[in-house]
Amino acid sequence: TVYVDSVTFKYGTDSNIVANPEYEKQTRPGSSLADGWDYWKSNPDMATGMAVVNTPVASGTKAQKIASSAMPAGEAIFVLQDLA
């Protein structure tokens, strides 16, 4: 299980271009992801457990939980955001 909180991505002198970087907003009914975020996993059959949680957090009041049970070697899962 991995907990992610407070992401910053800047290009030059621009302010943070990541939407909802601290995972504070979650308004999509039935979604286990913070607003503006999606996820990808290398194996579609791999079990996953995503959730916006109140603890543990590094800043703010929420963090994105990324979990997978029995992940095979060489497989991956992560949250992502299209910054284009």
Side-chain angles (χ1 to χ4, degrees):
T1 301
V2 175
Y3 295 90
V4 181
D5 194 10
S6 192
V7 176
T8 302
F9 187 80
K10 297 180 180 186
Y11 183 76
T13 59
D14 293 339
S15 60
N16 191 358
I17 61 175
V18 174
N20 196 15
E22 294 186 344
Y23 307 95
E24 298 297 311
K25 295 178 186 171
Q26 183 189 25
T27 60
R28 296 178 288 184
S31 177
S32 58
L33 293 166
D35 290 359
W37 292 92
D38 202 351
Y39 78 97
W40 178 88
K41 56 184 177 177
S42 58
N43 182 338
D45 297 326
M46 190 167 46
T48 58
M50 301 287 194
V52 175
V53 297
N54 296 321
T55 186
V57 298
S59 66
T61 60
K62 296 183 181 177
Q64 180 69 56
K65 177 182 175 182
I66 307 165
S68 180
S69 58
M71 183 184 299
E75 300 291 353
I77 183 169
F78 51 84
V79 292
L80 61 102
Q81 194 172 104
D82 185 357
L83 300 177

